Amino acid sequence: NQIAKTLNEQLPPITEKTSPRLQGFASYRLSLSPRGEVSKVRVLCETLTDERAAEKMASDLKNLRFPRAKGRSELTLPVVFDN
């Protein structure tokens, strides 16, 4: 699956940069353009120990690049921080 491959390659640097000691959970909804660009990120819910971390990571998630698609799509991305 190309989406899983993209996330496995591009997500670890983003999560490590967000906070090396972060604890909790965050769920994001990513809107993807047909070109594979993230056009919008929304925080669905979060239980993080740093209240600013969810929004910071949302901003960084906009830099992800996915394979091209036939149309727009959405992706729900759950992230668990247990450092």
Side-chain angles (χ1 to χ4, degrees):
N1 175 317
Q2 291 182 332
I3 298 293
K5 182 181 177 190
T6 298
L7 290 172
N8 287 335
E9 292 173 355
Q10 297 181 38
L11 193 57
I14 292 173
T15 58
E16 291 167 10
K17 179 178 138 183
T18 299
S19 178
R21 296 184 188 150
L22 196 59
Q23 296 284 321
F25 169 85
S27 181
Y28 299 90
R29 171 84 31 89
L30 283 65
S31 298
L32 308 177
S33 76
R35 295 188 315 239
E37 297 170 340
V38 179
S39 58
K40 182 179 176 183
V41 178
R42 191 173 63 152
V43 179
L44 299 177
C45 67
E46 60 93 3
T47 64
L48 301 175
T49 52
D50 177 347
E51 63 246 11
R52 294 173 296 180
E55 289 300 328
K56 180 181 181 327
M57 186 164 165
S59 176
D60 291 340
L61 289 172
K62 288 184 180 176
N63 295 321
L64 292 174
R65 293 294 175 258
F66 292 89
R68 290 182 172 269
K70 293 181 180 178
R72 295 187 168 277
S73 57
E74 288 192 335
L75 171 70
T76 300
L77 178 64
V79 182
V80 177
F81 294 90
D82 187 22
N83 297 321

Coordinates of all heavy atoms in Angstrom, one line a residue:
N1 N 0.8 -1.2 0.0 CA 0.0 0.0 0.0 C 0.9 1.2 0.0 O 1.7 1.4 0.9 CB -0.9 -0.1 1.2 CG -1.8 1.1 1.4 OD1 -1.3 2.2 1.3 ND2 -3.0 0.9 1.8
Q2 N 0.7 2.1 -1.0 CA 1.5 3.3 -1.1 C 1.3 4.3 0.0 O 2.2 5.0 0.4 CB 1.3 4.0 -2.5 CG 1.8 3.1 -3.6 CD 1.5 3.8 -4.9 OE1 0.6 4.6 -5.1 NE2 2.4 3.5 -5.9
I3 N 0.1 4.4 0.6 CA -0.2 5.3 1.7 C 0.6 4.9 2.9 O 1.3 5.7 3.5 CB -1.7 5.4 2.0 CG1 -2.5 5.9 0.8 CG2 -1.9 6.2 3.2 CD1 -2.2 7.3 0.4
A4 N 0.6 3.6 3.2 CA 1.3 3.1 4.4 C 2.8 3.3 4.2 O 3.5 3.8 5.1 CB 1.0 1.6 4.6
K5 N 3.3 3.1 3.0 CA 4.8 3.3 2.7 C 5.1 4.8 2.9 O 6.1 5.1 3.5 CB 5.1 2.9 1.3 CG 6.5 3.1 0.9 CD 6.8 2.6 -0.5 CE 8.3 2.9 -0.8 NZ 8.6 2.7 -2.2
T6 N 4.3 5.7 2.4 CA 4.5 7.1 2.6 C 4.6 7.5 4.0 O 5.5 8.2 4.5 CB 3.4 7.9 1.9 OG1 3.5 7.6 0.5 CG2 3.6 9.4 2.1
L7 N 3.6 7.0 4.8 CA 3.5 7.3 6.3 C 4.8 6.8 7.0 O 5.3 7.4 7.8 CB 2.2 6.9 6.9 CG 1.0 7.6 6.5 CD1 -0.3 6.9 7.0 CD2 1.1 9.1 6.9
N8 N 5.1 5.5 6.7 CA 6.3 4.9 7.3 C 7.6 5.7 7.1 O 8.5 5.7 7.9 CB 6.4 3.4 6.9 CG 5.4 2.6 7.5 OD1 4.8 2.9 8.5 ND2 5.1 1.5 6.8
E9 N 7.7 6.3 5.9 CA 8.9 7.0 5.5 C 8.9 8.4 6.1 O 9.9 8.9 6.5 CB 9.0 7.1 4.0 CG 9.4 5.7 3.4 CD 9.3 5.8 1.9 OE1 9.0 6.8 1.3 OE2 9.7 4.7 1.3
Q10 N 7.7 9.1 6.0 CA 7.7 10.5 6.3 C 7.2 10.9 7.7 O 7.5 12.0 8.2 CB 6.8 11.2 5.3 CG 7.3 11.1 3.8 CD 6.5 11.8 2.8 OE1 5.9 12.9 3.1 NE2 6.3 11.2 1.7
L11 N 6.5 10.0 8.4 CA 5.9 10.4 9.7 C 6.9 10.4 10.8 O 6.9 11.3 11.7 CB 4.7 9.5 10.0 CG 3.8 9.9 11.1 CD1 3.3 11.3 10.9 CD2 2.7 8.9 11.3
P12 N 7.8 9.4 10.9 CA 8.7 9.4 12.1 C 9.5 10.7 12.3 O 9.6 11.2 13.5 CB 9.7 8.2 11.8 CG 8.8 7.3 11.0 CD 8.0 8.2 10.1
P13 N 10.1 11.4 11.3 CA 10.8 12.6 11.6 C 9.8 13.7 12.1 O 10.2 14.5 13.0 CB 11.3 13.1 10.2 CG 11.4 11.8 9.4 CD 10.2 11.0 9.9
I14 N 8.6 13.7 11.7 CA 7.6 14.7 12.2 C 7.3 14.4 13.6 O 7.2 15.4 14.5 CB 6.3 14.7 11.3 CG1 6.7 15.2 9.9 CG2 5.2 15.5 11.9 CD1 5.5 15.1 8.9
T15 N 7.0 13.2 14.0 CA 6.6 12.9 15.4 C 7.8 13.1 16.3 O 7.6 13.6 17.4 CB 6.1 11.4 15.5 OG1 7.1 10.5 15.1 CG2 4.8 11.2 14.8
E16 N 9.0 12.8 15.9 CA 10.2 13.0 16.7 C 10.5 14.5 16.9 O 10.9 14.9 18.0 CB 11.4 12.3 16.1 CG 11.3 10.8 16.1 CD 12.4 10.1 15.2 OE1 13.3 10.8 14.7 OE2 12.2 8.9 15.0
K17 N 10.2 15.3 15.9 CA 10.4 16.7 16.0 C 9.4 17.4 16.9 O 9.7 18.4 17.6 CB 10.3 17.3 14.6 CG 10.5 18.8 14.5 CD 10.4 19.2 13.0 CE 9.6 20.5 12.9 NZ 9.4 20.9 11.6
T18 N 8.2 16.8 16.9 CA 7.1 17.4 17.7 C 7.5 17.5 19.2 O 7.4 18.6 19.8 CB 5.8 16.7 17.5 OG1 5.5 16.7 16.1 CG2 4.7 17.3 18.3
S19 N 7.9 16.5 19.8 CA 8.4 16.5 21.2 C 8.9 15.1 21.5 O 8.2 14.1 21.4 CB 7.2 16.8 22.1 OG 7.7 16.8 23.4
P20 N 10.2 15.0 21.9 CA 10.7 13.7 22.2 C 10.2 13.1 23.5 O 10.3 11.9 23.7 CB 12.2 14.0 22.4 CG 12.3 15.4 22.6 CD 11.1 16.1 22.0
R21 N 9.5 13.8 24.3 CA 9.0 13.3 25.6 C 7.5 13.3 25.7 O 6.9 13.2 26.8 CB 9.6 14.1 26.8 CG 11.1 14.0 26.9 CD 11.6 14.7 28.1 NE 13.1 14.6 28.0 CZ 13.8 15.6 28.5 NH1 13.3 16.6 29.1 NH2 15.1 15.4 28.3
L22 N 6.8 13.5 24.6 CA 5.4 13.6 24.5 C 4.7 12.3 24.9 O 5.1 11.2 24.5 CB 5.0 14.1 23.1 CG 3.6 14.6 23.0 CD1 3.4 15.8 23.9 CD2 3.4 15.0 21.5
Q23 N 3.6 12.4 25.6 CA 2.7 11.3 26.0 C 1.3 11.6 25.5 O 0.9 12.7 25.6 CB 2.8 11.0 27.5 CG 4.1 10.7 28.1 CD 4.5 9.2 27.8 OE1 3.6 8.4 27.9 NE2 5.7 9.0 27.5
G24 N 0.6 10.5 25.1 CA -0.8 10.7 24.7 C -1.1 10.2 23.3 O -0.4 9.5 22.7
F25 N -2.3 10.7 22.9 CA -2.8 10.3 21.6 C -3.4 11.5 20.9 O -3.9 12.5 21.5 CB -4.0 9.3 21.9 CG -4.9 9.0 20.7 CD1 -4.5 8.1 19.8 CD2 -6.0 9.7 20.5 CE1 -5.3 7.8 18.7 CE2 -6.8 9.5 19.4 CZ -6.5 8.5 18.5
A26 N -3.3 11.5 19.6 CA -3.9 12.6 18.7 C -4.4 11.9 17.5 O -3.8 11.0 16.9 CB -2.9 13.7 18.4
S27 N -5.5 12.4 17.0 CA -6.1 11.9 15.8 C -6.3 13.1 14.8 O -6.8 14.2 15.2 CB -7.5 11.2 16.1 OG -8.0 10.7 14.9
Y28 N -5.9 12.9 13.6 CA -6.0 14.0 12.6 C -6.8 13.6 11.4 O -6.8 12.4 11.0 CB -4.5 14.3 12.1 CG -3.7 14.8 13.2 CD1 -2.9 13.9 14.0 CD2 -3.6 16.2 13.5 CE1 -2.1 14.4 15.0 CE2 -2.8 16.6 14.6 CZ -2.0 15.7 15.3 OH -1.2 16.1 16.3
R29 N -7.4 14.5 10.7 CA -8.1 14.3 9.4 C -7.3 15.1 8.4 O -7.2 16.3 8.5 CB -9.5 14.7 9.5 CG -10.3 14.7 8.2 CD -10.9 13.4 7.7 NE -11.3 12.5 8.7 CZ -12.5 12.4 9.2 NH1 -13.4 13.3 8.9 NH2 -12.8 11.5 10.1
L30 N -6.7 14.4 7.4 CA -6.0 15.0 6.4 C -6.8 15.1 5.1 O -7.3 14.0 4.7 CB -4.6 14.3 6.1 CG -3.5 14.4 7.1 CD1 -3.8 13.9 8.4 CD2 -2.3 13.8 6.5
S31 N -6.9 16.2 4.5 CA -7.5 16.3 3.2 C -6.4 16.3 2.1 O -5.5 17.1 2.2 CB -8.3 17.6 3.1 OG -9.4 17.6 4.0
L32 N -6.5 15.4 1.1 CA -5.5 15.3 0.1 C -5.9 15.7 -1.2 O -7.1 15.4 -1.6 CB -5.0 13.8 0.1 CG -4.6 13.2 1.4 CD1 -4.3 11.7 1.1 CD2 -3.5 13.9 2.0
S33 N -5.1 16.5 -1.9 CA -5.4 16.9 -3.3 C -5.1 15.8 -4.2 O -4.4 14.8 -3.9 CB -4.6 18.1 -3.7 OG -3.3 17.8 -3.9
P34 N -5.6 15.8 -5.5 CA -5.2 14.8 -6.4 C -3.7 14.7 -6.7 O -3.2 13.6 -7.1 CB -6.0 15.2 -7.7 CG -7.1 16.0 -7.2 CD -6.6 16.7 -6.0
R35 N -3.0 15.8 -6.5 CA -1.5 15.7 -6.7 C -0.8 15.1 -5.5 O 0.4 15.0 -5.5 CB -1.0 17.2 -6.9 CG -1.5 17.8 -8.2 CD -0.9 19.1 -8.5 NE -0.8 20.0 -7.3 CZ -1.3 21.2 -7.2 NH1 -2.0 21.7 -8.2 NH2 -1.2 21.9 -6.1
G36 N -1.5 14.7 -4.4 CA -0.9 14.1 -3.3 C -0.5 15.0 -2.2 O 0.2 14.6 -1.2
E37 N -0.8 16.3 -2.3 CA -0.5 17.3 -1.3 C -1.6 17.3 -0.3 O -2.7 17.1 -0.5 CB -0.4 18.7 -2.0 CG 0.7 18.7 -3.0 CD 0.7 20.0 -3.8 OE1 -0.4 20.6 -3.9 OE2 1.7 20.3 -4.5
V38 N -1.1 17.6 1.0 CA -2.1 17.8 2.1 C -2.6 19.2 2.0 O -1.9 20.2 2.3 CB -1.4 17.5 3.4 CG1 -2.4 17.7 4.6 CG2 -0.8 16.1 3.4
S39 N -3.9 19.4 1.7 CA -4.4 20.7 1.6 C -5.0 21.2 2.9 O -5.1 22.4 3.1 CB -5.5 20.7 0.5 OG -6.5 19.8 0.8
K40 N -5.4 20.3 3.8 CA -6.0 20.7 5.1 C -5.7 19.6 6.1 O -5.8 18.5 5.8 CB -7.5 20.9 4.9 CG -8.2 21.4 6.1 CD -9.7 21.6 5.8 CE -10.5 22.0 7.0 NZ -11.9 22.1 6.7
V41 N -5.4 20.1 7.4 CA -5.3 19.1 8.5 C -6.2 19.6 9.6 O -6.1 20.8 10.0 CB -3.8 19.0 9.0 CG1 -3.7 18.1 10.2 CG2 -2.9 18.6 7.9
R42 N -7.0 18.7 10.2 CA -7.8 19.1 11.3 C -7.5 18.1 12.4 O -7.4 16.9 12.2 CB -9.3 19.0 10.9 CG -10.2 19.5 11.9 CD -11.6 19.5 11.3 NE -12.0 18.1 11.1 CZ -13.3 17.7 11.1 NH1 -14.3 18.6 11.3 NH2 -13.6 16.5 10.9
V43 N -7.4 18.7 13.6 CA -7.2 17.8 14.8 C -8.6 17.3 15.2 O -9.5 18.1 15.5 CB -6.6 18.6 16.0 CG1 -6.4 17.8 17.2 CG2 -5.2 19.2 15.6
L44 N -8.8 16.0 15.2 CA -10.1 15.5 15.6 C -10.2 15.3 17.1 O -11.3 15.6 17.7 CB -10.3 14.1 14.9 CG -10.3 14.1 13.4 CD1 -10.4 12.7 12.9 CD2 -11.4 15.0 12.9
C45 N -9.2 14.8 17.8 CA -9.2 14.7 19.2 C -7.7 14.5 19.7 O -6.9 14.1 18.9 CB -10.0 13.6 19.7 SG -9.5 12.0 19.3
E46 N -7.4 14.8 20.9 CA -6.1 14.7 21.4 C -6.1 14.6 22.9 O -6.9 15.2 23.6 CB -5.1 15.8 20.9 CG -5.5 17.2 21.3 CD -4.9 17.7 22.5 OE1 -4.0 17.0 23.1 OE2 -5.2 18.8 22.9
T47 N -5.1 13.9 23.5 CA -4.9 13.7 24.9 C -3.5 14.0 25.3 O -2.9 13.4 26.2 CB -5.4 12.4 25.4 OG1 -4.5 11.4 24.8 CG2 -6.8 12.1 25.1
L48 N -2.8 14.8 24.5 CA -1.4 15.0 24.7 C -1.0 15.8 25.9 O -1.7 16.7 26.4 CB -0.8 15.7 23.5 CG -1.1 15.0 22.1 CD1 -0.6 15.8 21.0 CD2 -0.4 13.6 22.1
T49 N 0.2 15.5 26.5 CA 0.7 16.2 27.7 C 1.1 17.6 27.4 O 1.3 18.4 28.3 CB 1.9 15.4 28.3 OG1 2.8 15.1 27.3 CG2 1.4 14.0 28.8
D50 N 1.3 17.9 26.2 CA 1.7 19.3 25.8 C 0.6 19.9 24.9 O 0.3 19.4 23.8 CB 3.0 19.3 25.0 CG 3.4 20.7 24.5 OD1 2.6 21.6 24.5 OD2 4.6 20.8 24.1
E51 N -0.2 20.9 25.4 CA -1.4 21.3 24.7 C -1.1 22.0 23.4 O -1.9 22.0 22.5 CB -2.2 22.3 25.6 CG -1.4 23.5 25.9 CD -1.1 23.7 27.4 OE1 -1.3 22.7 28.2 OE2 -0.7 24.8 27.8
R52 N 0.1 22.4 23.1 CA 0.5 23.0 21.8 C 1.0 22.0 20.8 O 1.0 22.3 19.6 CB 1.6 24.1 22.0 CG 1.1 25.3 22.8 CD 2.2 26.2 23.1 NE 3.1 25.5 24.0 CZ 4.2 25.9 24.5 NH1 4.6 27.1 24.2 NH2 5.0 25.2 25.2
A53 N 1.3 20.8 21.2 CA 1.9 19.8 20.4 C 1.0 19.4 19.2 O 1.4 19.2 18.1 CB 2.4 18.6 21.2
A54 N -0.3 19.2 19.5 CA -1.3 18.7 18.5 C -1.3 19.7 17.3 O -1.3 19.3 16.2 CB -2.6 18.5 19.1
E55 N -1.4 21.0 17.6 CA -1.5 22.0 16.5 C -0.1 22.1 15.8 O -0.1 22.3 14.6 CB -1.9 23.4 17.1 CG -3.3 23.4 17.5 CD -4.3 23.1 16.4 OE1 -4.0 23.5 15.2 OE2 -5.4 22.6 16.7
K56 N 1.0 22.0 16.5 CA 2.3 22.1 15.9 C 2.4 20.9 14.9 O 2.9 21.1 13.8 CB 3.4 22.0 16.9 CG 4.8 22.1 16.3 CD 5.9 22.0 17.4 CE 7.3 22.1 16.9 NZ 7.5 21.5 15.6
M57 N 2.0 19.7 15.4 CA 2.1 18.6 14.5 C 1.2 18.7 13.3 O 1.5 18.3 12.2 CB 1.9 17.3 15.2 CG 2.1 16.1 14.4 SD 2.3 14.6 15.4 CE 2.1 13.4 14.1
A58 N 0.0 19.2 13.5 CA -0.9 19.5 12.4 C -0.3 20.3 11.3 O -0.4 20.0 10.1 CB -2.2 20.1 12.9
S59 N 0.4 21.3 11.7 CA 1.1 22.2 10.8 C 2.2 21.4 10.0 O 2.3 21.6 8.8 CB 1.7 23.4 11.6 OG 2.5 24.2 10.7
D60 N 2.9 20.6 10.7 CA 4.0 19.8 10.1 C 3.4 18.8 9.2 O 4.1 18.4 8.2 CB 4.9 19.2 11.2 CG 5.7 20.2 11.9 OD1 5.9 21.3 11.4 OD2 6.2 19.8 13.0
L61 N 2.3 18.2 9.5 CA 1.7 17.2 8.6 C 1.3 17.7 7.2 O 1.2 17.0 6.3 CB 0.4 16.6 9.3 CG 0.7 15.7 10.5 CD1 -0.7 15.4 11.2 CD2 1.4 14.5 10.1
K62 N 1.2 19.0 7.1 CA 0.9 19.6 5.8 C 2.0 19.4 4.8 O 1.9 19.6 3.6 CB 0.5 21.1 6.0 CG -0.8 21.3 6.6 CD -1.1 22.8 6.6 CE -2.5 23.0 7.3 NZ -2.8 24.4 7.4
N63 N 3.2 19.1 5.3 CA 4.4 18.9 4.5 C 4.5 17.4 3.9 O 5.3 17.2 3.1 CB 5.7 19.2 5.2 CG 5.7 20.6 5.6 OD1 5.4 21.5 4.8 ND2 6.2 20.9 6.8
L64 N 3.6 16.5 4.3 CA 3.6 15.2 3.8 C 3.2 15.2 2.3 O 2.4 16.1 1.9 CB 2.6 14.3 4.5 CG 2.9 14.0 6.0 CD1 1.7 13.2 6.6 CD2 4.1 13.1 6.1
R65 N 3.8 14.3 1.6 CA 3.5 14.2 0.1 C 3.1 12.7 -0.1 O 3.9 11.8 0.2 CB 4.6 14.6 -0.7 CG 5.0 16.1 -0.7 CD 3.8 16.9 -1.2 NE 4.1 18.3 -1.1 CZ 3.5 19.1 -0.1 NH1 2.7 18.5 0.7 NH2 3.7 20.3 -0.1
F66 N 1.9 12.5 -0.7 CA 1.4 11.2 -1.0 C 1.4 11.0 -2.5 O 1.5 11.9 -3.3 CB -0.1 11.1 -0.5 CG -0.1 11.1 1.0 CD1 -0.2 12.3 1.7 CD2 0.0 9.9 1.7 CE1 -0.3 12.3 3.1 CE2 -0.1 9.9 3.1 CZ -0.2 11.1 3.8
P67 N 1.2 9.7 -2.9 CA 1.1 9.5 -4.4 C -0.1 10.2 -5.0 O -1.1 10.4 -4.3 CB 0.9 7.9 -4.4 CG 1.4 7.4 -3.1 CD 1.2 8.5 -2.1
R68 N 0.0 10.5 -6.3 CA -1.1 11.1 -7.0 C -2.3 10.2 -7.0 O -2.2 9.0 -6.9 CB -0.7 11.4 -8.4 CG 0.3 12.5 -8.6 CD 0.6 12.7 -10.0 NE 1.4 13.9 -10.2 CZ 1.0 15.1 -10.3 NH1 -0.3 15.3 -10.4 NH2 1.8 16.2 -10.4
A69 N -3.5 10.8 -7.0 CA -4.8 10.1 -7.0 C -5.7 10.6 -8.1 O -5.4 11.7 -8.7 CB -5.4 10.2 -5.7
K70 N -6.8 9.9 -8.4 CA -7.7 10.4 -9.4 C -8.6 11.6 -8.9 O -9.1 12.3 -9.7 CB -8.6 9.2 -9.8 CG -7.9 8.1 -10.5 CD -8.8 7.0 -10.9 CE -8.0 6.0 -11.7 NZ -8.9 4.8 -12.1
G71 N -8.7 11.7 -7.6 CA -9.5 12.8 -7.1 C -9.1 13.2 -5.7 O -8.1 12.6 -5.2
R72 N -9.8 14.0 -5.1 CA -9.5 14.4 -3.7 C -9.9 13.2 -2.8 O -10.7 12.4 -3.1 CB -10.4 15.6 -3.3 CG -10.1 16.9 -4.0 CD -10.8 18.1 -3.4 NE -10.3 19.3 -4.0 CZ -9.2 19.9 -3.5 NH1 -8.6 19.4 -2.5 NH2 -8.8 21.0 -4.0
S73 N -9.2 13.2 -1.6 CA -9.5 12.1 -0.7 C -9.2 12.6 0.7 O -8.6 13.7 0.9 CB -8.7 10.8 -1.0 OG -7.3 11.1 -1.0
E74 N -9.6 11.8 1.7 CA -9.4 12.2 3.1 C -8.8 11.0 3.8 O -9.1 9.8 3.4 CB -10.7 12.6 3.8 CG -11.2 13.9 3.4 CD -12.2 14.5 4.3 OE1 -13.0 13.7 5.0 OE2 -12.4 15.7 4.4
L75 N -7.9 11.2 4.8 CA -7.2 10.2 5.5 C -7.4 10.5 7.0 O -7.1 11.7 7.4 CB -5.8 10.2 5.1 CG -4.8 9.3 5.9 CD1 -5.1 7.9 5.7 CD2 -3.4 9.6 5.5
T76 N -7.8 9.6 7.8 CA -7.8 9.8 9.3 C -6.5 9.1 9.8 O -6.3 7.9 9.5 CB -9.0 9.1 9.9 OG1 -10.2 9.8 9.3 CG2 -9.0 9.3 11.4
L77 N -5.8 9.9 10.5 CA -4.5 9.4 11.0 C -4.4 9.5 12.5 O -4.3 10.5 13.1 CB -3.4 10.3 10.4 CG -1.9 10.0 10.8 CD1 -1.5 8.7 10.4 CD2 -1.0 11.1 10.3
P78 N -4.4 8.3 13.2 CA -4.2 8.3 14.7 C -2.7 8.2 15.0 O -2.0 7.4 14.3 CB -5.0 7.0 15.1 CG -4.9 6.1 13.9 CD -4.8 7.0 12.7
V79 N -2.3 8.9 16.0 CA -0.9 8.9 16.4 C -0.8 8.7 17.9 O -1.4 9.5 18.6 CB -0.2 10.2 15.9 CG1 1.3 10.1 16.3 CG2 -0.3 10.5 14.5
V80 N -0.1 7.7 18.3 CA 0.1 7.5 19.7 C 1.6 7.9 20.1 O 2.5 7.4 19.4 CB -0.1 6.0 20.1 CG1 0.2 5.7 21.6 CG2 -1.5 5.6 19.8
F81 N 1.7 8.7 21.1 CA 3.0 9.1 21.6 C 3.2 8.4 23.0 O 2.5 8.6 23.9 CB 3.1 10.6 21.8 CG 3.0 11.4 20.6 CD1 1.8 11.8 20.1 CD2 4.1 11.7 19.9 CE1 1.7 12.5 18.9 CE2 4.0 12.5 18.7 CZ 2.8 12.9 18.2
D82 N 4.3 7.6 23.0 CA 4.6 6.9 24.3 C 6.1 6.9 24.5 O 6.8 5.8 24.4 CB 4.1 5.5 24.1 CG 4.2 4.7 25.5 OD1 4.3 5.3 26.5 OD2 4.2 3.4 25.4
N83 N 6.7 8.0 24.7 CA 8.1 8.1 24.9 C 8.5 8.2 26.3 O 7.9 8.7 27.2 CB 8.7 9.4 24.1 CG 8.4 9.3 22.6 OD1 8.6 8.2 22.1 ND2 8.0 10.4 22.0

